[in-house]
Each structure stands twice: as C-alpha cells, then as structure tokens.
Amino acid sequence: MTQPRSMMKIGINMVQNGGHSSGWRHLDADPDIANDFEGYARIIKMAEDAKIHFVFLADGAAVRIPHSNAEELSYHGHIDRFEPLTLLAALAAITSKIGLICTASTTYNEPYTLARKYASLDHISHGRAGWNLVTGWSEDESLNFNRDTLMEHAQRYARANEFVDVVTGLWDSFDDDAFIANKASGQYFRPEGMHVLNHQGEFYKVRGPLNLRRSPQGHPVIAQAGSSVPGRDLGARVADIIYTGQKDLQLAQEFFADMKARVAAAGRDPSQVLVMPGLMPIIGATEAEAQARMAELKSLVHPEVGMQLISKTFGDLSHLDPEDPVPLPLPESNGVKSARDQWERRLREKPMTVRQVYEEISLSSGHCVVCGTVETIADHMQRWFESGACDGWNLMAPYFPSGAEDFITKLIPELKRRGIFHREYEGETLRANLGLNPVPDLKNKSNDGRSKSDDRISMSN
Amino acid sequence: MTQPRSMMKIGINMVQNGGHSSGWRHLDADPDIANDFEGYARIIKMAEDAKIHFVFLADGAAVRIPHSNAEELSYHGHIDRFEPLTLLAALAAITSKIGLICTASTTYNEPYTLARKYASLDHISHGRAGWNLVTGWSEDESLNFNRDTLMEHAQRYARANEFVDVVTGLWDSFDDDAFIANKASGQYFRPEGMHVLNHQGEFYKVRGPLNLRRSPQGHPVIAQAGSSVPGRDLGARVADIIYTGQKDLQLAQEFFADMKARVAAAGRDPSQVLVMPGLMPIIGATEAEAQARMAELKSLVHPEVGMQLISKTFGDLSHLDPEDPVPLPLPESNGVKSARDQWERRLREKPMTVRQVYEEISLSSGHCVVCGTVETIADHMQRWFESGACDGWNLMAPYFPSGAEDFITKLIPELKRRGIFHREYEGETLRANLGLNPVPDLKNKSNDGRSKSDDRISMSN
Ligand SMILES: Cc1cc2nc3c(=O)[nH]c(=O)nc-3n(C[C@H](O)[C@H](O)[C@H](O)COP(=O)(O)O)c2cc1C
Ligand SMILES: Cc1cc2nc3c(=O)[nH]c(=O)nc-3n(C[C@H](O)[C@H](O)[C@H](O)COP(=O)(O)O)c2cc1C
C-alpha cells in the first residue's frame, strides 16, 4: 500500500464562489454556485473521476470582513457559504472514493461534538473524512460567539493542543472489534473494548466515551493550517497534512524542511506528514492568453473589496489611495501571524502599492498563483515537488465551475502523463489513498500486546 | 396549499437500533443498522415512497445511561448512533421530498453554529430541514461538556428561550431577494437586504449576520419536545411541531387542548402548531399474534438494561428486586419533569413492579405502544386524531428494518384507504407538506410595508 514518493497528492479546494474573491464576476462564472448543492456535486464527481485525493473546504463562522458596513460588504463574493461538514456529509452520499476534508475551529467548538461529527462522517463515507484543524484568525468570528475580541494567539494554540487530544481520545473510545451484537447473550459490545476518556485538563473536562463505535479510519485524517511556530509544532505533533500558503520556492523549501524536522523531533515519521500548499493555476492555451486571463481577473476586484481584504493582514488602510505604497512596518497580528511575517519580508525587499497587494490577496488569499500553459504550470508543480518544497498541492479555482473544470480536465491529465500523479485510488480510505499508515485502536497500540482493559475506569457517577 | 384537518401528519422516528432498547436482539433485527448508512437510506426511501411527512431523529451527546459500569452498559443497544445532522445531510442528497428533522440541544450548542447548520441543511435539501429543540435531561451529557452536573431545569429553559430567538434572528439575516450577483456593477447583494442581529442578551452575545443567504423555508421547521410548563410555553411561542409522549387518551386530549390554548395565548394560530405524540405499532395478522410479538419483545430486555433505564426517571432502584413494587413518591426530577409526573400519577392509581415498568420504558421510552392488527391500530390512531388528542404521529419501530417496513407497507396504506393520510406530497417544502404557512423575511414581515433597511445597523467594529 505504500506509494512511491514520486507521486504527488492533490486536493481540490472549494471556496464558495471560488478562491478569487471577485471571481464570481467573470463571464464564465456561475455566481450562484456558493448556494447550489448540485453545482458542488457536479464538480466533486468530476474531481473523483480524475482521482483527485480529496475535496478540501475552508471555513469561517462569520462574515469575516472587518471595518465594513453593508454598502461596502455588498461587493464581496465570499459572503454566503454552506456549513462545510453539512455539505461534505451530503457529498459523501453521492461519491465513493474521494476524500472529504473540512475546516473546524478549536476556538468555537466543543471537542465532544466535533469528535462525533467527524467520526459520523467517517462512518457514512466509509473512511473518507478529514478535519482541517484551525484556531481562527478573525475578530468577526469572536463577535458571533459571546466574545468582544479574538482570543489571544498563544491561548488559542494552548486550547487547540488540549482540544485535539480530547478528540483523538474520544475517537478511541471503543476498540475496532468491541461491537459484537450477540443476540443470544444480549451483549451488544465487549466491555473490555470500551475506554472511558475521563479527561480533565486546563481547558476541557470531558468524560466520554463517544456514543459511536470506532470509525473506519479510526482517526479521520487531520490537516493543520497554522504556520506560526505554535502552529507548526501542533501540526508536527498531530497532523497528517500541513496546509500552507507558499509563494516562493526557497521559502517553501525552508518551510518544508522545517516542518519535516519538527515532525521527526516529535518522534514521528516525516513521510507520514504531507506538506501541501495551496496553488491557483490560471491556464491559457498560450502564455499570453494566460497572462491576459490573470489581468482580467485582477481587474474584477472592486476597490471596496480590495480595501476590506487588505485590512485583514495590514490593518485599516482606508485613509490611503490604492496607488500609495503600503507603509511599513505592518501592525503586529493576533490573526494569521505567518501571513503577516511573509508580507513584511516581501515588502521590505520590494515595495508594492495598496492596489498591487490587494489584487494579489483578492486573487488567492495568500496562495501561489501560477499562470501559464498546462506545460509550464505542470513544470512548476513538478519542480517544487521534486526539489523538496512540497508533497503535493491543494488546487484552487478562481471561480466555479469552469475554473475547476480547467485544471481537472487539462492539468491533471498532464500530471498523469508525466507519471507524477496516480491513475487510480490505491485503497478504500482517505488514509490509504494518501499513503498514510492506519491508526491502530488502543488495544493494538499497547506495546506489550496486553489488553488495555485493565485500565478501564468505571463510569459510575 | 391548506390541507383539510381530516388528514393526519406522520413522521418516522429513527432511533439507532429502533425504539426498543433491546429490539436489536429480535430474530428479524439487523443489529448493525445503527452504524449502517445504507440501511438507514433504504428505510428513508421506503418512507418517502409512502409519502411519510418527515424522518425524525432524536439525539443525545453521550452514552446516556447513568449508574453503570462497562459490564452493565454492554447489554444496551442504544450506545452507538450517528450525529443526526450529519446523517440527515447525507440522506438529503438521496431523497427529494421527505422532511428531515433532527434534535439539537440548546444547552450544549452555540446558536450561530446551530443556525448555520440547519440553514445549510435547508439549502441542500431545498427546504426540507427541521430542528427538534431540546434542553436535554441527562447528567451524562453535562459530563461531556465541561460540567459536573446537569444545568438546572429553569435555567435550561431560560437559555433555550433566548437561544431560539438568536437562531431565528440569524435565519433572517438577509431578505429572500437580497442576493443579486450583478456582475456588471460588482454588487453581490443589496445592502438594504442585510439585517445585522446585534444580539446582546442575558446568555448570548451574537453579532451576525449569518454567512449564508436565507434558506428556502426561511425558518426551518421547529419541533419542541419538552412537556413541562416552561417546555409547553416555549413550544407555544416558537414551535411548529410539539413532539410528546402520551399513553392515555384523556391525558392526551388535555395536553392537546392545553397546548392549543397556550398557542392562542401567545398570539399564534393553533392550527399552525401540530401536536404529534410518538406511537409504536406492534402489528400482527391477528390480535393474538400481535400480543405474542409484544410479549416476545418484552422478554428481550436484559435486567441490567431495565435497571439502567428505569433509573433515568425513578432514581437508582438497584437495591430492589425486579418483582418488587416501585416505591412512591418518585424523586423530584431535574430531567424530564413531564415523564416523572405522568408516572407518579399512573402509579398512584395502579402500582406496578420494577420489571413491569422497565419493560414498558424499554419498549418505547415513554411513548404509546399499540398492539393489534392493522385495523385496530388504525382505529386507535383515527380515534385519537378525530377526538382532539393529536394532529398526527411520530411512528416508532421496535427494531429495524422490518419493524419499520411493517408500518410503512401495512399501516400507512390502511390510513390512506381511510382517507386520513395524504397520497401525495402537497408542496416542495416540509412547511408546505405540513400545511404550515411560509415565514416571510423581515422586509415582508414589517406591517407598514416599509423596508426594514432603515433599521440596519452598520457593522463597523
Ligand atoms: C493555508 C491556511 C489556510 C487556513 N484556512 C483557514 C480556514 O479555513 N479557516 C480559519 O478559520 N482559519 C484558517 N487559517 C488560519 C488558521 O486558523 C490559523 O489558526 C491561523 O493562521 C493562526 O495561526 P498561525 O499564526 O499559526 O498561522 C488558515 C491558515 C493558513 C495558513
Ligand atoms: C417526546 C420527547 C422527546 C424528547 N427527545 C429528546 C431528545 O431526542 N434528546 C434530548 O436530549 N432530549 C429529548 N427530550 C427531552 C427534552 O430535552 C426536554 O428538554 C426535557 O424533556 C426536559 O423538559 P421537560 O421537563 O419540559 O419535559 C425529549 C422529551 C420528550 C417529552
């Protein structure tokens, strides 16, 4: 089941109306797709036919555009989106192979609820579920959850570390073979196969067990998308996939090497943690056509939207003209620290105007945009993959559906032709398809082979 | 679209392995169905073919059996269940007409998250979503959510009242026609169609708006399942369906009249709130066959399971023998007060042994069990319906799949033959099929026809 490292992994990143915040304005865009389940379903089925490893859904529990009133907000195409786990569950019923990964924040959820939901999705999809663990970055979310401010960065990560341990602990509530449903004896499960968590930590108190048998993957795949030091360390300790925004080959190689070293330092096998940056391909029949497409996409950005987006990372710049240079230093960020630091580094080397920055952010929210023919884009992907910058990609479309159809029908076949993308799903579960080892249950995890039942704690209360 | 009152409404109540806690032991039961999405899917499709109004999923976020250790628990068939909203989303993708109602507690969820999830389900299912609002009753749940005890009854309902107002407020974040996606102007929605909630109450602070356009039903259907006075008042104020456990015709008539009076007192139309008790039909070709079936089902209850179940309402009775009479008075309940009060009343009139009580609870957890031929069961349903005891039924099967197949293929056709159950879905949404009026958006709700946009509050923060 192990796959040669020569094969890159690919996910399709579905974001409401597309990765480009103004992509919905494109002539070819279906501007209602954010709200169209059947539209999503068609794209996912195409992606599955092309053997894309997983669909990936970002999330935010708010209209996350600060410093805005309704007039300004109204130009923004990233307003309406389905709650992603609800959407993935529906997509699970009409697909059979493609992985289903979505985002949920440790800052605004309860671990018991989250553990149940992903385990349920893993059951319903027969082993295709994944959780993109985030701690959030926007003030706007906190205002929807009884808070006045975004929780502080260090505390968000402290909670996230405890949260994920509770979740994985709950996923191990029962051994894989605990449920026997013996009609004659009346025994529904073997009591020694149940493990009550009894977690009492700094932030959470959760007794368990989960009211659900262990799911096909045992632990649904965990992705992690924070790139600050605490984010990297959390990822190194618990994640199967590191999702990241990387635009520069050398920085990406540094990030890749750093992540793999942290994984090794955490006592895990570096090949078992996949670093997968986002990438938005802008495909043309010729380089010139691709460049024209990119320019067209940039021209769609309404200045109001640009100013809103830039303020996420750069603070309020509404007093500036779009043609003014971005002033340095950037304000300290309690949100996405890694994005702030990358911009600071870039702008120190080469100043940019407010408009140049917001056009870039608007296009792909911090991810690499590669513009060219199928060949030159595949070259780029292959170069990064083969030079230790990534294990694969999370592909983004500027708008739907044709932005995604483009890379599914043109780019993916080229990668297959080059022998750097698989032609068939390797296994039955997302873990197997990603070349990740199974996660044994508690009984099989114990080194001495001794059943853990002796540690079982009575539930009497 | 209004339907004659001569037509009863019917839901199918899906509970893990069936309504009977030991039904999985029956020869015909599929004991793995709690964990089998395709098994659920087959039953729901049958129910849809039979024009059953909705599927209804109860829920609990815990293994909810107190005073137990793993050995005792292991006899219990109600241990594993899918998280219900995840399950309903998957079922939405493979059905097109049947309503999809599931339970979520106001005690352990955040209103923003819950509003998003049900609105998303309503979108994905094109207007078939419903929320069964509960405040919970079990200590065991509280132990999974950072608490040491179940929150006090009055406080649970105070929070529930505020919670539901936040949820419905968020569902009205946008007018139905707010989203215009005007590619030329770049305007994605009309700003005057957005309404920011800015809720600041005793328990919740939620700014809004929901990051999702208004869903097909506007407000997904709300069911309410608490029967204490605060529960009834909450239901009268906000619910479309009252789900209740009623075993005695006269008490059911009293409950029905009381609920309709409370609805009228709350300024609403009593015909717009449907009282739907649970009912478990045990069908035989003859009365004798049905009675034998019932006796067989009762005999499946392992005494450990019986003792666990009885303790939910009666406190710990483990010091008693199953043949001992249940001692009165019953302990005061912080859980399901209405169940405690009904039992107290019944046992004062006619004492029962511990075994008799737990066999009854085990069979249907407090719902009416009607045992007989298709004709006598239909008689019972018709009598209750026509004598002001209910607007319809939430049908339960003791086990799956054949327990449900029985009533879908035998009982439902009889009700159609009698002209008291519809032969076709009347409309496109669950509301329409239940004969409930649409819920207008805020713009259309304002009496003077004036747009609410003047009240819109800027989101600047
Ligand atoms: C590539 C990438 C994708 C992310 N996706 C999301 C997302 O979908 N939802 C979200 O709330 N946060 C998302 N985040 C932010 C994470 O929540 C993370 O907690 C935040 O970046 C702060 O951590 P950091 O400073 O370690 O990056 C993402 C971050 C990155 C770098
Ligand atoms: C018919 C019926 C069904 C119920 N279903 C659920 C359920 O699925 N999950 C749950 O947590 N509580 C359920 N409850 C309990 C409600 O949570 C309610 O909050 C509880 O009964 C306490 O309120 P009460 O004293 O008003 O009945 C149900 C109650 C009744 C009467």
Side-chain angles (χ1 to χ4, degrees):
Chain A
M1 201 64 79
T2 41
Q3 295 157 53
R5 152 81 184 138
S6 61
M7 291 287 192
M8 57 175 65
K9 310 295 184 287
I10 292 185
I12 173 171
N13 190 329
M14 301 278 295
V15 205
Q16 301 130 304
N17 281 287
H20 180 13
S21 65
S22 305
W24 65 272
R25 295 181 68 184
H26 193 277
L27 202 67
D28 296 340
D30 170 1
D32 283 320
I33 199 154
N35 195 251
D36 173 13
F37 172 67
E38 284 73 21
Y40 274 103
R42 274 190 296 275
I43 298 172
I44 303 300
K45 284 182 182 171
M46 279 186 75
E48 184 171 71
D49 285 343
K51 320 297 177 197
I52 286 181
H53 289 84
F54 55 81
V55 46
F56 183 100
L57 299 177
D59 191 42
V63 171
R64 288 190 302 188
I65 301 142
H67 310 297
S68 314
N69 63 31
E71 276 73 23
E72 291 165 6
L73 257 183
S74 70
Y75 294 103
H76 208 290
H78 281 186
I79 299 293
D80 63 330
R81 63 160 105 209
F82 295 138
E83 194 285 322
L85 208 138
T86 310
L87 175 58
L88 286 190
L91 292 172
I94 55 158
T95 53
S96 60
K97 289 288 192 178
I98 195 166
L100 306 163
I101 304 180
C102 73
T103 299
S105 166
T106 53
T107 306
Y108 308 109
N109 283 291
E110 288 285 342
Y112 196 91
T113 308
L114 192 137
R116 280 184 86 196
K117 285 187 178 285
Y118 282 94
S120 297
L121 180 64
D122 203 42
H123 278 293
I124 289 169
S125 67
H126 302 292
R128 296 184 285 136
W131 168 31
N132 179 39
L133 183 172
V134 302
T135 70
W137 51 263
S138 94
E139 286 285 334
D140 299 87
E141 285 184 318
S142 55
L143 301 179
N144 289 332
F145 292 88
N146 304 321
R147 296 182 56 89
D148 294 314
T149 55
L150 176 58
M151 190 183 290
E152 201 264 319
H153 195 271
Q155 206 202 352
R156 295 206 311 272
Y157 274 109
R159 285 167 48 105
N161 269 286
E162 187 179 329
F163 190 112
V164 69
D165 290 342
V166 175
V167 168
T168 53
L170 289 170
W171 283 339
D172 287 336
S173 291
F174 293 96
D175 291 337
D176 287 329
D177 58 359
F179 285 80
I180 51 173
N182 185 328
K183 287 184 179 183
S185 71
Q187 209 159 55
Y188 192 64
F189 67 88
R190 294 182 306 96
E192 63 277 17
M194 178 172 98
H195 311 283
V196 180
L197 188 65
N198 275 318
H199 174 87
Q200 302 217 12
E202 193 182 342
F203 303 104
Y204 299 102
K205 201 160 82 182
V206 180
R207 188 190 64 182
L210 206 63
N211 52 350
L212 190 62
R213 68 185 71 184
R214 200 163 186 268
S215 77
Q217 294 186 107
H219 294 188
V221 166
I222 298 180
Q224 205 281 330
S227 293
S228 63
V229 168
R232 294 182 195 204
D233 283 337
L234 172 60
R237 188 170 75 79
V238 304
D240 304 297
I241 294 174
I242 304 294
Y243 179 39
T244 175
Q246 300 291 340
K247 301 181 159 191
D248 175 276
L249 177 58
Q250 195 193 323
L251 294 182
Q253 286 166 329
E254 283 170 31
F255 179 83
F256 185 88
D258 180 74
M259 271 313 310
K260 299 279 175 170
R262 286 176 199 266
V263 171
R268 299 174 66 207
D269 174 355
S271 78
Q272 291 290 302
V273 180
L274 307 171
V275 176
M276 300 183 69
L279 187 150
M280 182 184 287
I282 311 281
I283 304 175
T286 62
E287 292 294 326
E289 189 186 305
Q291 289 297 342
R293 223 173 235 230
M294 171 104 129
E296 187 194 1
L297 285 168
K298 284 187 173 173
S299 76
L300 298 175
V301 185
H302 195 288
E304 296 283 11
V305 175
M307 289 312 247
Q308 289 157 16
L309 285 175
I310 204 172
S311 66
K312 283 196 230 172
T313 311
F314 293 72
D316 185 3
L317 299 183
S318 55
H319 55 289
L320 296 182
D321 186 87
E323 306 315 325
D324 288 341
V326 173
L328 289 175
L330 301 180
E332 269 310 319
S333 169
N334 181 31
V336 187
K337 275 200 200 306
S338 46
R340 181 219 167 271
D341 296 348
Q342 282 198 24
W343 274 111
E344 174 97 15
R345 205 159 146 178
R346 275 181 64 186
L347 294 176
R348 292 229 173 270
E349 279 177 21
K350 182 166 175 293
M352 290 169 75
T353 66
V354 170
R355 182 195 302 280
Q356 284 169 331
V357 171
Y358 78 55
E359 281 183 350
E360 189 175 320
I361 295 180
S362 177
L363 200 55
S364 68
S365 49
H367 291 282
C368 190
V369 178
V370 188
C371 180
T373 63
V374 160
E375 288 70 30
T376 56
I377 297 173
D379 287 348
H380 172 103
M381 292 170 75
Q382 186 163 5
R383 183 164 1 101
W384 279 48
F385 177 64
E386 289 175 353
S387 67
C390 67
D391 293 302
W393 303 93
N394 222 333
L395 292 184
M396 307 168 74
Y399 52 84
F400 291 116
S402 61
E405 285 162 9
D406 256 21
F407 69 69
I408 295 172
T409 59
K410 296 175 186 160
L411 185 57
I412 295 286
E414 172 64 19
L415 300 172
K416 286 180 183 160
R417 218 183 42 72
R418 296 182 182 202
I420 52 177
F421 186 67
H422 68 178
R423 289 172 184 273
E424 281 304 330
Y425 291 107
E426 290 79 6
E428 294 302 317
T429 66
L430 175 56
R431 274 190 187 280
N433 290 327
L434 290 172
L436 300 173
N437 298 332
V439 182
D441 62 12
L442 286 187
K443 185 181 63 188
N444 291 305
K445 203 171 260 171
S446 57
N447 290 330
D448 54 2
R450 188 172 54 90
S451 160
K452 293 274 257 191
S453 66
D454 311 332
D455 313 335
R456 187 177 43 74
I457 300 149
S458 156
M459 285 182 65
S460 304
N461 54 358
Chain B
M1 202 65 77
T2 40
Q3 294 157 55
R5 152 81 184 138
S6 61
M7 292 288 195
M8 56 175 65
K9 311 295 185 286
I10 290 184
I12 172 170
N13 191 328
M14 301 276 297
V15 204
Q16 300 130 306
N17 280 287
H20 180 13
S21 65
S22 306
W24 66 273
R25 297 182 66 184
H26 194 277
L27 200 68
D28 296 339
D30 170 1
D32 283 319
I33 199 153
N35 195 251
D36 172 14
F37 172 66
E38 284 72 21
Y40 273 103
R42 274 190 297 276
I43 298 172
I44 302 300
K45 284 181 181 171
M46 280 186 75
E48 185 171 71
D49 285 343
K51 319 298 177 196
I52 285 180
H53 289 84
F54 56 80
V55 46
F56 183 101
L57 298 176
D59 191 43
V63 171
R64 289 190 303 188
I65 301 142
H67 310 298
S68 313
N69 62 33
E71 276 74 22
E72 291 167 5
L73 260 183
S74 71
Y75 295 102
H76 207 291
H78 281 185
I79 299 292
D80 64 329
R81 62 159 105 209
F82 295 138
E83 194 286 321
L85 209 139
T86 309
L87 175 58
L88 286 190
L91 292 172
I94 55 159
T95 53
S96 60
K97 288 289 194 177
I98 195 167
L100 306 163
I101 303 180
C102 72
T103 298
S105 166
T106 53
T107 305
Y108 308 109
N109 283 289
E110 288 285 341
Y112 197 90
T113 308
L114 192 138
R116 281 185 85 198
K117 285 187 178 285
Y118 282 94
S120 297
L121 180 64
D122 203 41
H123 278 294
I124 289 170
S125 66
H126 302 292
R128 296 185 285 137
W131 167 32
N132 180 39
L133 183 173
V134 302
T135 70
W137 52 264
S138 94
E139 286 284 334
D140 300 87
E141 286 184 318
S142 55
L143 301 179
N144 289 332
F145 293 88
N146 305 319
R147 295 183 56 89
D148 294 314
T149 55
L150 176 58
M151 190 182 291
E152 200 263 320
H153 194 272
Q155 208 202 351
R156 296 206 310 272
Y157 274 109
R159 285 168 48 105
N161 269 286
E162 188 179 328
F163 190 113
V164 68
D165 290 342
V166 175
V167 168
T168 54
L170 289 170
W171 284 339
D172 288 335
S173 291
F174 293 97
D175 290 338
D176 286 330
D177 58 0
F179 285 80
I180 51 173
N182 184 329
K183 287 184 179 182
S185 70
Q187 208 158 57
Y188 192 64
F189 66 88
R190 294 184 305 96
E192 64 276 17
M194 179 172 96
H195 311 282
V196 180
L197 188 64
N198 275 319
H199 174 87
Q200 302 217 13
E202 193 182 342
F203 303 104
Y204 299 102
K205 201 159 81 182
V206 180
R207 187 189 65 182
L210 206 63
N211 52 351
L212 190 62
R213 69 185 68 185
R214 200 162 186 268
S215 76
Q217 294 186 107
H219 295 190
V221 166
I222 298 179
Q224 205 281 329
S227 292
S228 63
V229 169
R232 294 182 195 203
D233 282 338
L234 172 60
R237 189 170 75 78
V238 305
D240 304 296
I241 294 174
I242 305 294
Y243 179 39
T244 174
Q246 300 291 339
K247 301 181 158 189
D248 174 276
L249 176 58
Q250 195 194 324
L251 293 182
Q253 286 166 328
E254 283 171 29
F255 179 82
F256 184 89
D258 180 73
M259 271 313 309
K260 299 280 176 168
R262 285 176 201 266
V263 171
R268 300 174 65 207
D269 173 356
S271 78
Q272 291 290 302
V273 180
L274 307 171
V275 176
M276 300 183 69
L279 187 149
M280 181 183 287
I282 310 282
I283 305 174
T286 62
E287 292 294 324
E289 189 186 305
Q291 289 297 342
R293 223 171 233 232
M294 171 104 131
E296 185 194 1
L297 284 168
K298 284 187 174 173
S299 76
L300 298 175
V301 185
H302 195 288
E304 296 281 13
V305 175
M307 289 312 247
Q308 289 157 16
L309 285 175
I310 203 171
S311 66
K312 284 196 229 171
T313 311
F314 293 72
D316 185 2
L317 299 183
S318 55
H319 56 286
L320 294 182
D321 186 86
E323 307 314 327
D324 288 341
V326 173
L328 290 176
L330 301 180
E332 268 312 316
S333 169
N334 181 31
V336 186
K337 275 200 199 309
S338 46
R340 181 219 168 269
D341 295 348
Q342 282 197 25
W343 274 111
E344 173 97 15
R345 206 159 146 178
R346 275 182 64 188
L347 295 175
R348 291 228 174 271
E349 279 176 22
K350 183 168 174 293
M352 291 169 73
T353 66
V354 170
R355 181 195 303 278
Q356 285 170 328
V357 171
Y358 77 55
E359 282 183 351
E360 189 176 321
I361 295 181
S362 177
L363 199 54
S364 68
S365 50
H367 291 283
C368 190
V369 178
V370 187
C371 181
T373 63
V374 160
E375 288 70 29
T376 56
I377 297 171
D379 286 348
H380 172 102
M381 293 170 74
Q382 185 163 7
R383 185 166 357 103
W384 278 49
F385 177 63
E386 291 176 353
S387 66
C390 66
D391 293 302
W393 304 92
N394 223 334
L395 292 184
M396 308 169 73
Y399 52 84
F400 292 116
S402 61
E405 286 161 10
D406 257 20
F407 69 69
I408 294 172
T409 59
K410 295 175 187 161
L411 185 57
I412 296 285
E414 172 66 17
L415 299 173
K416 287 180 181 158
R417 217 183 43 71
R418 295 183 183 204
I420 53 177
F421 185 67
H422 67 177
R423 290 171 183 273
E424 281 304 332
Y425 291 107
E426 289 78 8
E428 294 303 316
T429 67
L430 176 56
R431 272 190 190 281
N433 289 327
L434 290 173
L436 300 173
N437 298 331
V439 182
D441 62 13
L442 286 187
K443 185 180 64 186
N444 290 305
K445 205 171 260 173
S446 58
N447 288 331
D448 54 2
R450 188 172 54 89
S451 160
K452 292 275 259 195
S453 65
D454 312 332
D455 313 334
R456 189 177 39 75
I457 300 149
S458 157
M459 284 182 65
S460 304
N461 53 359

